[in-house]
Amino acid sequence: MGRRNDHNPEEFNELVLTQVEEFLTHLPASQLSLRKVAKMIGYAPSTLIHTYKNWSMLLLKVNARTLDRLMATLTPLEQKFTDPEQRLYAIAEAYCAFACKQPHLWTLVFEHKLPAGMDIPDWMQHRINQLFSLVANCLTGMNSQVNAEQTLLSANTLWASVHGITLLALDDKLSLNTNTNPNEMLVDLLDNYLLAWKSAQGEKR
Amino acid sequence: MGRRNDHNPEEFNELVLTQVEEFLTHLPASQLSLRKVAKMIGYAPSTLIHTYKNWSMLLLKVNARTLDRLMATLTPLEQKFTDPEQRLYAIAEAYCAFACKQPHLWTLVFEHKLPAGMDIPDWMQHRINQLFSLVANCLTGMNSQVNAEQTLLSANTLWASVHGITLLALDDKLSLNTNTNPNEMLVDLLDNYLLAWKSAQGEKR
DNA sequence: TTGAAATATTGAACACCGTTCGATAAAAGT
DNA sequence: ACTTTTATCGAACGGTGTTCAATATTTCAA
């Protein structure tokens, strides 16, 4: 017992997250447990609880890192595509590509539920807002005649739709066996939705 | 021990599903367990496993009933709306309304994961196909100039998008605090997507 | 330098969970 | 009347997240 003679909170956290991420690149979150993580890093389960408060919070930290990684793949597109429409396509594609490359990490982000009563921490909400802004900014740059309220609605609609398409691509529950390519669906969505949106004259239909 | 003198497989199944559904109209599936169901119906846990093979299969039976209920709210729309476009709007709205009225039942359908290796039974896939057909049929009736392949793609896209919007409406994880009305988003999606789709001349852009 | 406070870490216990299995009682079939 | 099938159970198993008192180490102050 007692303290290890080389303890460093930052390193400890890094050790935990790294091991969890390594696990989730191979196996789904349903097979992960606090006790397994403890064994992987060579600590007792109760030590993990002491530092993360509970299992759910540990997972939330993992999810925050995942969103950071996702953000890191999306931000370069801001410079690469000055045309907001092209950028929106690129973002949607990159988002889906990320989800397909790291399905377990991505799935965990959206399946994870906080314990009842506890609501989402600011540092997590902030990351989500950042991602959402990428989409919203594209729309703002595309048709300046659409008012802010409608733009926000459209951003929500597209955000949710892209999410839904990606979700069905990963585990095609409730989908037909016709394994439709997710990218094809994303392009189809944007093609159709944006065509009407761009020509909107600032009026809701 | 031994057999109850009034045993009837059909009644037993009905008892179980009824109790589970009653539970899920009040509390989320995360709080439900096989042992609780056993206690609710006054049987031993192992009895439930004996009849349903495992916990996952019991939940799948619940989900099948949920899809039946959902289907029952959608099929009347087939007669009520002869115009396929209006019908599509009505279906999307009813779908979302159902999800909002029975969030725990609906959520369970799409969060439930089968054990690895075991794939979805025919009687479940059949129900999903039925629901999907409702959407596909609307599209088929709307623009006969679009080929079958493109129609299938569009049906997939809309299906997934409506699903994503509904999902975000229920637990607005990854959503902004701006609690956008899900019906507003659905109408927005269909307005924009269909406007372009209807005017497509059988050619992919 | 000594003593007190804070911190890190543990192992044992707890209350759950889904599942397995042998025993047993009642029904059904011959 | 006897056998087979079926329904049901209780006990056990290995798993889960969490609590908590105990302990060892470091930190800090007097």
Side-chain angles (χ1 to χ4, degrees):
Chain A
M1 301 170 190
R3 186 188 263 186
R4 273 176 170 73
N5 55 7
D6 63 343
H7 180 75
N8 179 321
E10 206 49 54
E11 281 180 23
F12 182 82
N13 184 55
E14 184 66 25
L15 174 62
V16 170
L17 297 189
T18 302
Q19 288 289 116
V20 169
E21 283 164 350
E22 212 277 329
F23 184 98
L24 291 177
T25 49
H26 302 314
L27 294 167
S30 59
Q31 303 202 24
L32 189 60
S33 74
L34 179 129
R35 291 179 119 101
K36 282 182 187 170
V37 176
K39 189 156 284 180
M40 293 188 321
I41 65 171
Y43 279 76
S46 48
T47 303
L48 279 171
I49 293 229
H50 174 259
T51 57
Y52 292 97
K53 180 80 178 165
N54 53 47
W55 175 232
S56 187
M57 191 50 86
L58 195 163
L59 292 178
L60 201 61
K61 288 280 169 61
V62 175
N63 287 341
R65 276 250 286 228
T66 301
L67 290 190
D68 286 344
R69 286 191 208 289
L70 174 57
M71 195 66 185
T73 75
L74 298 185
T75 34
L77 303 175
E78 294 271 289
Q79 274 82 40
K80 193 168 180 182
F81 296 89
T82 50
D83 175 39
E85 185 176 356
Q86 287 183 8
R87 191 170 61 223
L88 188 52
Y89 277 85
I91 288 174
E93 192 179 352
Y95 180 84
C96 188
F98 181 91
C100 290
K101 191 173 284 183
Q102 290 285 350
H104 305 318
L105 279 174
W106 186 85
T107 298
L108 181 59
V109 173
F110 302 112
E111 281 184 350
H112 180 250
K113 299 270 189 299
L114 292 169
M118 172 179 150
D119 46 15
I120 190 168
D122 288 343
W123 47 264
M124 192 63 182
Q125 185 64 53
H126 177 254
R127 285 170 164 90
I128 294 167
N129 292 350
Q130 262 188 311
L131 284 169
F132 183 85
S133 293
L134 294 184
V135 173
N137 287 344
C138 290
L139 288 176
T140 304
M142 277 177 60
N143 185 343
S144 55
Q145 299 191 355
V146 178
N147 64 31
E149 190 183 350
Q150 173 64 34
T151 300
L152 183 66
L153 174 61
S154 288
N156 266 305
T157 302
L158 286 181
W159 174 260
S161 298
V162 169
H163 179 68
I165 289 172
T166 307
L167 200 75
L168 256 59
L170 286 201
D171 65 341
D172 50 356
K173 178 183 297 292
L174 77 142
S175 171
L176 304 164
N177 35 17
T178 70
N179 227 340
T180 315
N181 185 318
N183 278 321
E184 228 179 312
M185 292 169 69
L186 288 177
V187 170
D188 181 59
L189 171 73
L190 294 178
D191 277 350
N192 284 281
Y193 186 96
L194 293 181
L195 185 64
W197 200 84
K198 281 186 297 184
S199 62
Q201 296 302 317
E203 287 295 326
K204 288 191 73 168
R205 285 154 301 282
Chain B
M1 301 169 189
R3 186 187 263 187
R4 273 175 170 72
N5 55 8
D6 62 342
H7 179 76
N8 179 320
E10 206 50 55
E11 281 181 22
F12 182 82
N13 185 55
E14 184 66 26
L15 174 61
V16 170
L17 297 189
T18 302
Q19 288 289 117
V20 168
E21 283 164 351
E22 212 277 328
F23 184 99
L24 291 176
T25 50
H26 302 314
L27 295 167
S30 61
Q31 303 202 25
L32 189 61
S33 73
L34 179 130
R35 291 177 118 103
K36 282 183 186 168
V37 175
K39 188 157 286 180
M40 292 186 325
I41 65 172
Y43 279 77
S46 48
T47 302
L48 279 171
I49 293 229
H50 174 259
T51 58
Y52 291 97
K53 179 81 176 165
N54 53 47
W55 175 231
S56 188
M57 190 52 84
L58 195 162
L59 292 178
L60 201 61
K61 287 281 171 59
V62 175
N63 287 341
R65 276 250 285 228
T66 302
L67 290 190
D68 286 344
R69 286 190 207 289
L70 174 56
M71 194 67 185
T73 74
L74 298 185
T75 34
L77 303 175
E78 295 271 288
Q79 274 82 42
K80 194 168 181 184
F81 295 89
T82 50
D83 176 38
E85 185 174 357
Q86 287 184 7
R87 191 178 350 140
L88 188 51
Y89 277 86
I91 288 175
E93 192 179 351
Y95 179 84
C96 189
F98 181 89
C100 291
K101 191 172 286 183
Q102 290 285 350
H104 305 318
L105 279 176
W106 186 84
T107 298
L108 181 59
V109 173
F110 302 112
E111 281 184 352
H112 179 251
K113 298 271 190 296
L114 292 169
M118 173 178 148
D119 46 15
I120 190 169
D122 287 344
W123 47 263
M124 194 61 182
Q125 186 64 52
H126 177 254
R127 285 171 164 89
I128 294 167
N129 292 351
Q130 262 188 312
L131 284 169
F132 183 84
S133 294
L134 292 184
V135 174
N137 288 344
C138 289
L139 288 177
T140 304
M142 276 177 63
N143 184 343
S144 55
Q145 299 191 355
V146 178
N147 63 34
E149 191 182 351
Q150 173 65 33
T151 300
L152 183 64
L153 173 61
S154 288
N156 267 303
T157 303
L158 286 182
W159 174 260
S161 299
V162 169
H163 179 66
I165 289 172
T166 306
L167 201 74
L168 256 60
L170 285 202
D171 65 341
D172 52 354
K173 176 183 300 291
L174 78 140
S175 171
L176 305 164
N177 33 19
T178 71
N179 229 340
T180 316
N181 185 318
N183 278 322
E184 229 179 310
M185 292 170 66
L186 288 176
V187 170
D188 180 58
L189 171 73
L190 294 178
D191 277 351
N192 284 280
Y193 186 96
L194 293 181
L195 184 63
W197 199 85
K198 280 186 297 183
S199 61
Q201 296 302 318
E203 288 295 324
K204 289 191 72 171
R205 287 154 300 280

